[in-house]
Amino acid sequence: LLLAATKSTTTRPTMAVGKNKRLTKSKKGGKKKAVDPFLKKEWYDIKAPSVFSVRKCGKTLITRTQGTKIASEGLKGRVFEVSLADLNNDEDQQYRKIKLCCEDVQGYNVLTNFHGMDLTRDKLCSLIKKWGSLIEANETVRTTDGYTIRLFLHCFHHEDAEPDEEDVLRPERTDPRHPQEDG
């Protein structure tokens, strides 16, 4: 009877309120090692269409095939932008940018097709001049072989007066009291 009383009076040590119980336990797996993401990448060669004189126009990166994620599927539909000067070995065409879209992957070669053309910003800005007008229009055209082409047109018009007209107009611009000549 006495022995039973001593057992019932013993108490377990109580924890402090708000103490984190998981601090004393060891974590499973430990800390992950930092892995360089470029070790999981593969390089692919970009092949331009045959209409251009230079076929190999660059390289691109993609994560290696892993599980159900196939690398070549990630490349399809990717759009590359290349200077026309690089594609034709002609420095006079450096202001034109050609867009090439990935259509197929064969081995480590990415086969592309023409996707669009654009002008560089500095060329567009050089065409726009003071006292000129700018006309912009666009049109979508369907070809007989099933392609859809969207055309964007930029027209720049700059009215230059003839030298003899400038002599007649110059006094009118500078002096508002100057009488206008009929004729």
Side-chain angles (χ1 to χ4, degrees), residues 35-99:
V35 179
D36 186 19
F38 283 98
L39 294 175
K40 298 178 183 177
K41 306 280 184 187
E42 288 179 329
W43 288 96
Y44 285 79
D45 293 326
I46 302 169
K47 300 285 186 179
S50 59
V51 293
F52 302 110
S53 59
V54 176
R55 292 291 312 269
K56 187 177 176 183
C57 60
K59 290 184 171 282
T60 187
L61 272 175
I62 189 76
T63 306
R64 285 192 181 116
T65 300
Q66 188 174 22
T68 59
K69 192 173 181 183
I70 301 169
S72 61
E73 294 299 318
L75 282 170
K76 288 182 183 171
R78 203 179 266 196
V79 178
F80 307 101
E81 198 168 85
V82 186
S83 171
L84 187 59
D86 295 336
L87 290 173
N88 285 338
N89 284 330
D90 184 10
E91 290 302 317
D92 295 336
Q93 299 173 342
Q94 66 184 359
Y95 59 88
R96 289 191 177 112
K97 298 183 294 185
I98 302 295
K99 291 181 182 175

Side-chain angles (χ1 to χ4, degrees), residues 7-176:
K7 278 191 178 179
S8 63
T9 56
T10 58
T11 57
R12 298 170 105 187
T14 58
M15 298 185 73
V17 176
K19 186 175 179 183
N20 190 354
K21 297 177 187 177
R22 299 225 6 112
L23 287 176
T24 57
K25 294 183 180 178
S26 63
K27 293 183 182 176
K28 295 177 185 173
K31 192 174 183 181
K32 267 192 166 181
K33 290 183 183 177
V35 179
D36 186 19
F38 283 98
L39 294 175
K40 298 178 183 177
K41 306 280 184 187
E42 288 179 329
W43 288 96
Y44 285 79
D45 293 326
I46 302 169
K47 300 285 186 179
S50 59
V51 293
F52 302 110
S53 59
V54 176
R55 292 291 312 269
K56 187 177 176 183
C57 60
K59 290 184 171 282
T60 187
L61 272 175
I62 189 76
T63 306
R64 285 192 181 116
T65 300
Q66 188 174 22
T68 59
K69 192 173 181 183
I70 301 169
S72 61
E73 294 299 318
L75 282 170
K76 288 182 183 171
R78 203 179 266 196
V79 178
F80 307 101
E81 198 168 85
V82 186
S83 171
L84 187 59
D86 295 336
L87 290 173
N88 285 338
N89 284 330
D90 184 10
E91 290 302 317
D92 295 336
Q93 299 173 342
Q94 66 184 359
Y95 59 88
R96 289 191 177 112
K97 298 183 294 185
I98 302 295
K99 291 181 182 175
L100 301 172
C101 183
C102 173
E103 298 288 326
D104 192 22
V105 179
Q106 293 178 350
Y108 283 100
N109 294 326
V110 177
L111 304 180
T112 60
N113 201 357
F114 179 79
H115 191 66
M117 188 198 80
D118 200 3
L119 296 177
T120 58
R121 183 180 171 87
D122 61 320
K123 180 65 174 179
L124 276 174
C125 292
S126 71
L127 293 172
I128 299 172
K129 292 191 167 61
K130 206 170 183 181
W131 311 118
S133 58
L134 170 67
I135 302 168
E136 293 180 325
N138 61 44
E139 186 66 33
T140 304
V141 181
R142 187 165 203 88
T143 61
T144 54
D145 54 353
Y147 285 98
T148 302
I149 301 172
R150 185 170 291 138
L151 302 171
F152 293 89
L153 178 71
H154 300 277
C155 292
F156 304 99
H157 183 262
H158 186 68
E159 283 192 39
D160 284 332
E162 295 294 325
D164 56 339
E165 292 175 7
E166 284 185 21
D167 295 336
V168 174
L169 295 174
R170 188 170 286 121
E172 295 173 11
R173 291 185 194 154
T174 56
D175 188 9

